[in-house]
Amino acid sequence: MATDPVCKKEVDENTPNVLKAQFWGKRVYFCSNECRINFRRDPQKYVPDSAEGKGPEYDKTKTNESWRV
Ligand SMILES: [Zn+2]
């Protein structure tokens, strides 16, 4: 099981069509599209450890371009 970084609910990552995003090499899963939207809006708020100082080109001003679904 994975944990939804937004609401902290457990998400079964093996569910077909599970909602997920890739953020600096870390894969994150969401229980709902609402959580995914919240994450998209401010990813570093939800995964500060994996965001801060890790990607070689990490730049807070480019957060919206540094992750993909
Ligand atoms: Zn959620």
Side-chain angles (χ1 to χ4, degrees):
M1 295 293 268
T3 305
D4 183 323
V6 178
C7 67
K8 313 292 184 199
K9 252 188 242 173
E10 286 205 319
V11 181
D12 184 351
E13 66 267 47
N14 296 316
T15 305
N17 305 321
V18 66
L19 295 164
K20 59 179 182 280
Q22 189 95 12
F23 185 66
W24 280 117
K26 185 186 167 76
R27 187 160 288 180
V28 291
Y29 297 89
F30 307 100
C31 69
S32 67
N33 200 40
E34 197 178 317
C35 285
R36 193 172 66 162
I37 289 166
N38 285 334
F39 183 83
R40 276 184 87 148
R41 210 171 278 149
D42 196 4
Q44 71 217 16
K45 175 178 164 188
Y46 299 109
V47 284
D49 292 349
S50 44
E52 200 68 55
K54 286 198 178 154
E57 292 141 38
Y58 181 68
D59 180 347
K60 282 185 177 178
T61 63
K62 291 180 183 160
T63 298
N64 290 339
E65 291 146 22
S66 65
W67 71 277
R68 61 191 184 278
V69 172

